[in-house]
Coordinates of all heavy atoms in Angstrom, one line a residue:
Q733 N -37.7 37.6 16.9 CA -37.3 36.2 16.7 C -35.9 36.1 16.2 O -35.5 36.9 15.3 CB -38.3 35.6 15.7 CG -38.0 34.2 15.5 CD -39.2 33.5 14.7 OE1 -40.1 34.1 14.2 NE2 -39.0 32.2 14.5
N734 N -35.2 35.2 16.7 CA -33.8 34.9 16.3 C -33.8 34.3 14.9 O -34.4 33.3 14.7 CB -33.2 34.0 17.3 CG -31.7 33.8 17.1 OD1 -31.2 33.9 16.0 ND2 -31.0 33.4 18.1
M735 N -33.0 34.9 14.0 CA -32.9 34.4 12.6 C -32.3 32.9 12.6 O -32.5 32.2 11.6 CB -32.1 35.3 11.7 CG -32.9 36.6 11.4 SD -34.5 36.3 10.7 CE -34.1 35.7 9.1
N736 N -31.6 32.5 13.6 CA -31.1 31.2 13.7 C -32.2 30.1 13.9 O -32.0 28.9 13.7 CB -30.0 31.0 14.7 CG -28.8 31.8 14.4 OD1 -28.5 31.9 13.2 ND2 -28.1 32.3 15.4
D737 N -33.4 30.6 14.3 CA -34.5 29.7 14.6 C -35.5 29.5 13.4 O -36.4 28.7 13.5 CB -35.4 30.3 15.8 CG -34.6 30.3 17.1 OD1 -33.6 29.4 17.2 OD2 -34.9 31.1 17.9
V738 N -35.3 30.2 12.3 CA -36.1 30.1 11.2 C -35.5 29.3 10.1 O -34.3 29.1 10.0 CB -36.6 31.5 10.6 CG1 -37.4 32.3 11.7 CG2 -35.4 32.3 10.1
F739 N -36.3 28.8 9.2 CA -35.8 28.0 8.1 C -35.6 28.8 6.8 O -36.4 29.7 6.6 CB -36.7 26.8 7.8 CG -36.7 25.8 8.8 CD1 -37.7 25.8 9.8 CD2 -35.7 24.8 8.9 CE1 -37.7 24.8 10.8 CE2 -35.7 23.8 9.9 CZ -36.7 23.8 10.9
N740 N -34.6 28.5 6.0 CA -34.5 29.1 4.7 C -35.3 28.3 3.7 O -35.8 27.2 4.1 CB -33.0 29.1 4.3 CG -32.1 29.9 5.2 OD1 -32.4 31.0 5.4 ND2 -31.1 29.3 5.7
Y741 N -35.5 28.8 2.5 CA -36.2 28.0 1.5 C -35.6 28.1 0.2 O -34.8 29.1 -0.1 CB -37.7 28.4 1.5 CG -37.9 29.8 0.8 CD1 -38.1 29.9 -0.5 CD2 -37.8 30.9 1.6 CE1 -38.3 31.1 -1.1 CE2 -38.0 32.2 1.0 CZ -38.2 32.3 -0.3 OH -38.4 33.5 -0.9
A742 N -35.9 27.1 -0.7 CA -35.5 27.1 -2.1 C -36.7 26.7 -2.9 O -37.3 25.7 -2.5 CB -34.3 26.2 -2.3
A743 N -37.0 27.5 -3.9 CA -38.1 27.1 -4.8 C -37.6 26.6 -6.1 O -36.7 27.1 -6.7 CB -39.0 28.4 -5.0
I744 N -38.1 25.4 -6.5 CA -37.7 24.8 -7.7 C -39.0 24.5 -8.5 O -40.0 24.1 -8.0 CB -37.0 23.4 -7.4 CG1 -35.9 23.6 -6.4 CG2 -36.6 22.7 -8.7 CD1 -35.3 22.4 -5.8
N745 N -38.9 24.8 -9.9 CA -40.1 24.5 -10.7 C -39.7 24.0 -12.1 O -40.6 24.1 -13.0 CB -41.0 25.8 -10.8 CG -40.2 27.0 -11.4 OD1 -39.1 26.8 -11.9 ND2 -40.8 28.1 -11.2
T746 N -38.5 23.5 -12.2 CA -38.1 22.9 -13.5 C -37.5 21.5 -13.3 O -37.1 21.2 -12.2 CB -37.1 23.8 -14.3 OG1 -36.0 23.9 -13.5 CG2 -37.7 25.2 -14.6
A747 N -37.3 20.8 -14.4 CA -36.5 19.6 -14.3 C -35.0 20.0 -14.2 O -34.5 20.5 -15.2 CB -36.8 18.7 -15.5
T748 N -34.4 19.8 -13.1 CA -33.1 20.3 -12.8 C -32.4 19.6 -11.6 O -33.0 18.9 -10.9 CB -33.1 21.8 -12.7 OG1 -31.8 22.4 -12.7 CG2 -33.8 22.2 -11.4
T749 N -31.1 19.9 -11.5 CA -30.4 19.5 -10.3 C -30.0 20.8 -9.6 O -29.4 21.7 -10.1 CB -29.1 18.8 -10.7 OG1 -29.4 17.6 -11.3 CG2 -28.3 18.4 -9.4
T750 N -30.5 20.9 -8.3 CA -30.3 22.1 -7.6 C -29.6 21.9 -6.3 O -30.0 21.1 -5.4 CB -31.7 22.8 -7.2 OG1 -32.5 23.0 -8.3 CG2 -31.5 24.1 -6.4
T751 N -28.4 22.5 -6.1 CA -27.7 22.4 -4.9 C -28.2 23.5 -4.0 O -28.0 24.7 -4.3 CB -26.1 22.6 -5.1 OG1 -25.7 21.5 -5.9 CG2 -25.4 22.5 -3.7
V752 N -29.0 23.1 -3.0 CA -29.7 24.0 -2.1 C -28.7 24.6 -1.1 O -28.8 25.8 -0.8 CB -30.9 23.3 -1.5 CG1 -31.5 24.2 -0.5 CG2 -31.8 22.8 -2.5
K753 N -27.8 23.8 -0.6 CA -26.9 24.2 0.5 C -25.7 23.4 0.4 O -25.7 22.2 0.3 CB -27.6 24.2 1.8 CG -26.7 24.7 3.0 CD -27.4 24.7 4.3 CE -26.8 25.5 5.3 NZ -25.9 25.0 6.2
S754 N -24.5 24.0 0.7 CA -23.3 23.3 0.9 C -23.0 23.2 2.4 O -23.3 24.1 3.1 CB -22.1 24.0 0.2 OG -22.3 24.0 -1.2
G755 N -22.4 22.1 2.8 CA -22.0 21.9 4.2 C -23.1 21.3 5.0 O -24.1 20.8 4.4
I756 N -23.0 21.4 6.3 CA -24.0 20.7 7.2 C -25.2 21.5 7.3 O -25.2 22.8 7.2 CB -23.4 20.4 8.6 CG1 -23.0 21.7 9.3 CG2 -22.2 19.5 8.5 CD1 -22.6 21.5 10.7
G757 N -26.3 20.8 7.6 CA -27.6 21.5 7.8 C -28.7 20.5 8.2 O -28.5 19.4 8.4
I758 N -29.9 21.0 8.2 CA -31.1 20.3 8.5 C -32.1 20.5 7.3 O -32.4 21.6 7.0 CB -31.7 20.7 9.8 CG1 -30.8 20.4 10.9 CG2 -33.1 20.0 10.1 CD1 -31.2 21.0 12.3
L759 N -32.6 19.4 6.8 CA -33.7 19.4 5.8 C -35.0 19.3 6.6 O -35.2 18.3 7.2 CB -33.6 18.3 4.8 CG -34.8 18.1 3.9 CD1 -35.1 19.3 3.1 CD2 -34.4 16.9 2.9
H760 N -35.8 20.3 6.6 CA -37.1 20.3 7.4 C -38.2 19.7 6.6 O -38.8 18.7 6.9 CB -37.4 21.7 7.8 CG -38.7 21.8 8.6 ND1 -39.0 21.1 9.7 CD2 -39.8 22.7 8.4 CE1 -40.2 21.4 10.1 NE2 -40.7 22.4 9.3
T761 N -38.6 20.3 5.4 CA -39.7 19.8 4.6 C -39.4 19.9 3.1 O -38.6 20.7 2.7 CB -41.0 20.6 4.9 OG1 -40.8 22.0 4.5 CG2 -41.4 20.5 6.4
I762 N -40.2 19.1 2.4 CA -40.3 19.3 1.0 C -41.8 19.4 0.7 O -42.5 18.5 1.0 CB -39.7 18.1 0.2 CG1 -38.2 18.0 0.5 CG2 -40.0 18.2 -1.3 CD1 -37.5 16.7 -0.1
T763 N -42.2 20.5 0.1 CA -43.6 20.7 -0.3 C -43.7 20.7 -1.8 O -43.0 21.4 -2.5 CB -44.1 22.1 0.3 OG1 -43.9 22.1 1.7 CG2 -45.5 22.3 -0.1
V764 N -44.6 19.8 -2.2 CA -44.9 19.7 -3.6 C -46.2 20.4 -3.8 O -47.2 20.0 -3.2 CB -45.0 18.2 -4.0 CG1 -45.5 18.0 -5.5 CG2 -43.7 17.4 -3.8
A765 N -46.2 21.5 -4.7 CA -47.3 22.3 -4.8 C -48.1 22.0 -6.1 O -49.4 22.0 -6.0 CB -46.9 23.8 -4.8
A766 N -47.5 21.8 -7.2 CA -48.2 21.7 -8.4 C -47.2 21.3 -9.5 O -46.1 20.9 -9.3 CB -48.9 23.0 -8.8
G767 N -47.6 21.6 -10.8 CA -46.8 21.4 -11.9 C -46.9 20.0 -12.4 O -47.8 19.2 -12.1
T768 N -46.0 19.6 -13.2 CA -45.9 18.2 -13.7 C -45.2 17.3 -12.7 O -44.1 17.5 -12.4 CB -45.1 18.1 -15.0 OG1 -45.6 19.0 -16.0 CG2 -45.1 16.7 -15.6
L769 N -46.0 16.4 -12.0 CA -45.5 15.7 -11.0 C -44.5 14.6 -11.5 O -44.9 13.7 -12.2 CB -46.6 15.0 -10.2 CG -47.6 16.0 -9.5 CD1 -48.7 15.3 -8.8 CD2 -46.9 17.0 -8.6
G770 N -43.2 14.8 -11.2 CA -42.2 13.8 -11.7 C -41.3 13.4 -10.5 O -41.5 13.8 -9.4
A771 N -40.4 12.5 -10.8 CA -39.5 11.9 -9.8 C -38.7 13.0 -9.1 O -38.2 13.9 -9.8 CB -38.6 10.9 -10.4
I772 N -38.5 12.8 -7.8 CA -37.6 13.7 -7.0 C -36.7 12.8 -6.2 O -37.1 11.8 -5.6 CB -38.5 14.6 -6.0 CG1 -39.5 15.4 -6.8 CG2 -37.6 15.4 -5.1 CD1 -40.6 16.1 -5.9
T773 N -35.4 13.2 -6.2 CA -34.4 12.5 -5.4 C -33.7 13.6 -4.6 O -33.4 14.7 -5.1 CB -33.4 11.8 -6.2 OG1 -34.1 11.0 -7.2 CG2 -32.5 10.9 -5.4
V774 N -33.4 13.3 -3.3 CA -32.7 14.2 -2.4 C -31.4 13.6 -1.9 O -31.4 12.4 -1.4 CB -33.6 14.5 -1.1 CG1 -33.0 15.5 -0.2 CG2 -35.0 15.0 -1.6
Y775 N -30.3 14.3 -2.1 CA -29.0 13.8 -1.8 C -28.3 14.6 -0.7 O -28.4 15.8 -0.6 CB -28.1 13.9 -3.0 CG -28.5 13.0 -4.2 CD1 -29.2 13.4 -5.2 CD2 -28.1 11.6 -4.2 CE1 -29.6 12.6 -6.2 CE2 -28.5 10.8 -5.2 CZ -29.2 11.3 -6.2 OH -29.6 10.4 -7.2
D776 N -27.5 13.9 0.1 CA -26.5 14.6 1.0 C -25.2 14.7 0.2 O -24.3 13.9 0.4 CB -26.3 13.7 2.3 CG -25.4 14.3 3.3 OD1 -24.8 15.4 3.0 OD2 -25.3 13.8 4.4
N777 N -25.2 15.7 -0.6 CA -24.0 16.0 -1.4 C -24.2 17.3 -2.1 O -25.3 18.0 -2.0 CB -24.0 14.9 -2.5 CG -22.6 14.7 -3.1 OD1 -21.7 15.5 -2.9 ND2 -22.4 13.7 -3.9
T778 N -23.2 17.8 -2.8 CA -23.2 19.1 -3.5 C -23.4 18.8 -5.0 O -23.3 19.7 -5.8 CB -22.0 19.9 -3.3 OG1 -20.8 19.1 -3.6 CG2 -21.9 20.4 -1.8
A779 N -23.8 17.5 -5.3 CA -24.1 17.1 -6.7 C -25.2 16.1 -6.6 O -25.6 15.6 -5.6 CB -22.8 16.4 -7.3
G780 N -25.8 15.8 -7.8 CA -26.9 14.9 -7.9 C -26.5 13.5 -7.9 O -26.9 12.7 -8.8
S781 N -25.8 13.1 -6.9 CA -25.3 11.7 -6.8 C -24.8 11.5 -5.3 O -24.7 12.4 -4.5 CB -24.1 11.5 -7.7 OG -23.0 12.3 -7.4
G782 N -24.5 10.2 -5.0 CA -23.9 9.9 -3.7 C -25.0 9.4 -2.8 O -25.9 8.7 -3.1
T783 N -24.8 9.8 -1.5 CA -25.7 9.4 -0.4 C -27.1 10.0 -0.6 O -27.2 11.2 -0.6 CB -25.1 9.8 1.0 OG1 -23.8 9.2 1.0 CG2 -26.0 9.3 2.1
T784 N -28.1 9.2 -0.6 CA -29.5 9.7 -0.7 C -30.1 10.0 0.7 O -29.9 9.1 1.6 CB -30.4 8.7 -1.4 OG1 -30.4 7.5 -0.8 CG2 -30.1 8.6 -2.9
I785 N -30.7 11.1 0.9 CA -31.4 11.4 2.1 C -32.8 10.9 1.9 O -33.4 10.3 2.9 CB -31.5 12.9 2.3 CG1 -30.1 13.5 2.6 CG2 -32.5 13.3 3.4 CD1 -30.1 15.0 2.6
M786 N -33.4 11.0 0.7 CA -34.7 10.5 0.4 C -34.6 9.9 -0.9 O -34.3 10.5 -1.9 CB -35.7 11.7 0.4 CG -37.1 11.3 0.3 SD -38.2 12.7 0.6 CE -39.8 12.0 0.8
R787 N -34.9 8.6 -1.0 CA -34.8 7.8 -2.2 C -35.8 8.4 -3.2 O -36.7 9.1 -2.9 CB -35.1 6.4 -2.0 CG -34.2 5.7 -1.0 CD -34.5 4.2 -0.9 NE -33.4 3.6 -1.5 CZ -33.4 2.4 -2.0 NH1 -34.5 1.6 -1.9 NH2 -32.3 1.9 -2.6
T788 N -35.5 8.1 -4.5 CA -36.3 8.7 -5.6 C -37.8 8.3 -5.3 O -38.1 7.2 -5.0 CB -35.9 8.1 -6.9 OG1 -34.5 8.5 -7.1 CG2 -36.7 8.7 -8.0
F789 N -38.6 9.3 -5.4 CA -40.1 9.1 -5.3 C -40.8 10.0 -6.3 O -40.3 11.0 -6.7 CB -40.6 9.4 -3.9 CG -40.6 10.8 -3.5 CD1 -41.8 11.5 -3.5 CD2 -39.4 11.5 -3.2 CE1 -41.8 12.9 -3.1 CE2 -39.4 12.8 -2.8 CZ -40.6 13.5 -2.8
T790 N -42.0 9.6 -6.7 CA -42.8 10.4 -7.6 C -44.1 10.7 -6.9 O -44.9 9.8 -6.7 CB -43.0 9.6 -8.9 OG1 -41.8 9.3 -9.5 CG2 -43.9 10.5 -9.9
P791 N -44.3 11.9 -6.5 CA -45.5 12.3 -5.8 C -46.7 12.2 -6.7 O -46.6 12.4 -8.0 CB -45.3 13.8 -5.4 CG -44.2 14.3 -6.3 CD -43.4 13.1 -6.7
T792 N -47.8 11.8 -6.2 CA -49.1 11.6 -7.0 C -50.0 12.8 -6.7 O -51.0 13.0 -7.5 CB -49.7 10.3 -6.8 OG1 -50.0 10.2 -5.4 CG2 -48.9 9.1 -7.2
V793 N -49.8 13.5 -5.6 CA -50.7 14.6 -5.3 C -49.8 15.7 -4.6 O -48.7 15.3 -4.1 CB -51.8 14.2 -4.3 CG1 -52.8 13.3 -5.0 CG2 -51.3 13.7 -3.0
A794 N -50.3 16.9 -4.6 CA -49.5 17.9 -3.8 C -49.6 17.6 -2.3 O -50.5 17.0 -1.8 CB -50.2 19.3 -4.1
G795 N -48.5 18.0 -1.6 CA -48.5 17.8 -0.2 C -47.1 18.1 0.4 O -46.2 18.5 -0.4
T796 N -47.0 18.1 1.7 CA -45.7 18.4 2.4 C -45.2 17.1 3.0 O -45.9 16.4 3.7 CB -46.0 19.5 3.4 OG1 -46.4 20.7 2.7 CG2 -44.7 19.8 4.2
Y797 N -43.9 16.9 2.8 CA -43.2 15.8 3.4 C -42.3 16.4 4.5 O -41.4 17.2 4.2 CB -42.3 15.0 2.4 CG -43.2 14.5 1.2 CD1 -43.5 15.3 0.2 CD2 -43.6 13.2 1.3 CE1 -44.3 14.8 -0.9 CE2 -44.4 12.7 0.2 CZ -44.7 13.5 -0.8 OH -45.5 13.0 -1.8
I798 N -42.5 16.0 5.8 CA -41.7 16.5 6.9 C -40.6 15.5 7.1 O -40.9 14.3 7.4 CB -42.6 16.6 8.1 CG1 -43.7 17.6 7.9 CG2 -41.7 17.1 9.3 CD1 -44.7 17.7 9.0
L799 N -39.4 15.9 7.0 CA -38.2 15.0 7.2 C -37.5 15.3 8.4 O -37.1 14.3 9.1 CB -37.3 15.1 5.9 CG -38.0 14.6 4.7 CD1 -38.1 15.6 3.6 CD2 -37.3 13.4 4.2
D800 N -37.1 16.5 8.7 CA -36.3 16.9 9.9 C -35.1 16.0 10.1 O -34.9 15.3 11.1 CB -37.2 16.8 11.2 CG -38.2 18.0 11.2 OD1 -37.9 19.0 10.6 OD2 -39.2 17.9 11.9
V801 N -34.3 15.9 9.0 CA -33.1 15.1 9.0 C -31.9 16.0 8.8 O -31.9 17.0 8.1 CB -33.1 14.0 8.0 CG1 -34.3 13.0 8.3 CG2 -33.3 14.5 6.6
G802 N -30.7 15.5 9.3 CA -29.5 16.3 9.1 C -28.8 15.8 7.9 O -28.9 14.7 7.4
F803 N -28.0 16.7 7.3 CA -27.1 16.3 6.2 C -25.7 16.9 6.5 O -25.6 17.9 7.3 CB -27.6 16.8 4.9 CG -28.0 18.2 4.8 CD1 -27.0 19.2 4.4 CD2 -29.2 18.7 5.0 CE1 -27.4 20.5 4.3 CE2 -29.6 20.0 4.9 CZ -28.7 20.9 4.6
T804 N -24.6 16.3 6.0 CA -23.3 16.8 6.3 C -22.5 17.4 5.2 O -21.8 18.4 5.4 CB -22.5 15.6 6.9 OG1 -22.4 14.6 6.0 CG2 -23.0 15.1 8.2
T805 N -22.7 16.9 4.0 CA -21.9 17.4 2.8 C -22.6 18.5 2.1 O -22.0 19.5 1.7 CB -21.7 16.2 1.8 OG1 -21.0 15.2 2.5 CG2 -20.8 16.7 0.7
G806 N -23.9 18.4 2.0 CA -24.7 19.4 1.3 C -26.1 18.9 1.1 O -26.4 17.8 1.4
L807 N -26.9 19.7 0.5 CA -28.3 19.3 0.2 C -28.6 19.6 -1.3 O -28.5 20.8 -1.7 CB -29.3 20.1 1.0 CG -30.8 19.9 0.8 CD1 -31.2 18.5 1.0 CD2 -31.6 20.9 1.6
T808 N -28.8 18.6 -2.1 CA -29.0 18.7 -3.5 C -30.3 18.0 -3.8 O -30.6 16.8 -3.4 CB -27.9 18.1 -4.3 OG1 -26.7 18.9 -4.1 CG2 -28.2 18.2 -5.8
I809 N -31.2 18.6 -4.6 CA -32.5 18.1 -5.0 C -32.5 17.9 -6.5 O -32.1 18.8 -7.3 CB -33.6 19.1 -4.7 CG1 -33.5 19.5 -3.2 CG2 -35.0 18.5 -5.0 CD1 -33.9 18.5 -2.2
V810 N -32.8 16.7 -7.0 CA -32.9 16.4 -8.4 C -34.4 16.3 -8.7 O -35.1 15.4 -8.2 CB -32.1 15.2 -8.8 CG1 -32.3 14.9 -10.3 CG2 -30.7 15.4 -8.5
T811 N -34.9 17.1 -9.7 CA -36.3 17.0 -10.1 C -36.3 16.5 -11.6 O -35.6 17.1 -12.4 CB -37.1 18.3 -9.9 OG1 -36.3 19.4 -10.5 CG2 -37.3 18.6 -8.5
A812 N -37.1 15.5 -11.9 CA -37.1 15.0 -13.2 C -38.1 15.6 -14.1 O -38.2 15.3 -15.3 CB -37.3 13.5 -13.2
A813 N -39.0 16.5 -13.6 CA -40.0 17.2 -14.3 C -40.2 18.6 -13.8 O -39.5 18.9 -12.8 CB -41.3 16.4 -14.2
A814 N -41.1 19.3 -14.4 CA -41.4 20.7 -13.9 C -42.3 20.7 -12.7 O -43.4 21.3 -12.7 CB -42.0 21.5 -15.1
T815 N -41.9 20.0 -11.7 CA -42.7 19.9 -10.5 C -42.4 21.1 -9.6 O -41.2 21.5 -9.5 CB -42.3 18.6 -9.6 OG1 -42.3 17.5 -10.5 CG2 -43.1 18.4 -8.4
V816 N -43.4 21.8 -9.1 CA -43.2 23.0 -8.3 C -43.0 22.5 -6.8 O -43.9 21.9 -6.2 CB -44.5 23.9 -8.3 CG1 -44.3 25.1 -7.4 CG2 -44.7 24.3 -9.8
V817 N -41.8 22.7 -6.4 CA -41.3 22.2 -5.1 C -40.7 23.4 -4.3 O -40.0 24.2 -4.8 CB -40.2 21.2 -5.3 CG1 -39.6 20.7 -4.0 CG2 -40.7 20.0 -6.1
T818 N -41.0 23.4 -3.0 CA -40.4 24.3 -2.0 C -39.7 23.5 -1.0 O -40.3 22.6 -0.4 CB -41.3 25.3 -1.4 OG1 -42.0 26.0 -2.4 CG2 -40.6 26.2 -0.4
V819 N -38.4 23.7 -0.8 CA -37.6 23.0 0.2 C -37.3 23.9 1.3 O -36.8 25.0 1.1 CB -36.2 22.5 -0.5 CG1 -35.4 21.8 0.5 CG2 -36.5 21.7 -1.7
S820 N -37.5 23.5 2.5 CA -37.3 24.2 3.7 C -36.2 23.6 4.5 O -36.2 22.4 4.8 CB -38.6 24.2 4.6 OG -38.4 24.9 5.8
Y821 N -35.1 24.4 4.8 CA -33.9 23.9 5.4 C -33.2 24.9 6.3 O -33.5 26.1 6.2 CB -33.0 23.4 4.3 CG -32.4 24.6 3.5 CD1 -31.2 25.1 3.8 CD2 -33.2 25.2 2.5 CE1 -30.7 26.2 3.1 CE2 -32.7 26.2 1.8 CZ -31.5 26.8 2.1 OH -31.1 27.9 1.4
R822 N -32.2 24.5 7.0 CA -31.3 25.4 7.6 C -29.9 24.8 7.8 O -29.8 23.6 7.6 CB -31.8 26.1 8.9 CG -31.9 25.2 10.0 CD -32.3 26.0 11.3 NE -32.9 25.1 12.2 CZ -33.9 25.4 13.0 NH1 -34.4 26.6 13.0 NH2 -34.5 24.5 13.8

């Protein structure tokens, strides 16, 4: 299998701002697995501000959100609690 066809991932499990990727890419999914379910915001930026890809939301149950959207500046995820999240991107 061509490595260009697979997605990378980032695992987040604390209240933090995580720059997942700089530059252009594709956000495939956000999977909420467990932990303290708190607010999550997704930005097209290399900081926790600016253009939002996904407005702030607070999941009430574990699940996977399929987005399949492009970003140009970068991919940054802000978690307001110790929510266990896996971000799939390339």
Side-chain angles (χ1 to χ4, degrees):
Q733 181 170 3
N734 184 338
M735 288 306 291
N736 292 327
D737 294 335
V738 298
F739 290 97
N740 297 309
Y741 71 91
I744 304 166
N745 60 13
T746 61
T748 189
T749 298
T750 305
T751 300
V752 175
K753 183 177 196 265
S754 295
I756 63 171
I758 298 171
L759 170 56
H760 178 52
T761 62
I762 295 175
T763 300
V764 176
T768 304
L769 300 179
I772 300 170
T773 311
V774 183
Y775 293 98
D776 182 351
N777 203 350
T778 55
S781 61
T783 304
T784 54
I785 294 173
M786 188 173 193
R787 300 184 109 201
T788 301
F789 72 102
T790 302
T792 56
V793 296
T796 297
Y797 301 85
I798 301 170
L799 292 122
D800 288 335
V801 296
F803 53 88
T804 56
T805 304
L807 176 60
T808 297
I809 311 290
V810 177
T811 50
T815 309
V816 177
V817 175
T818 301
V819 180
S820 175
Y821 69 95
R822 69 172 156 218

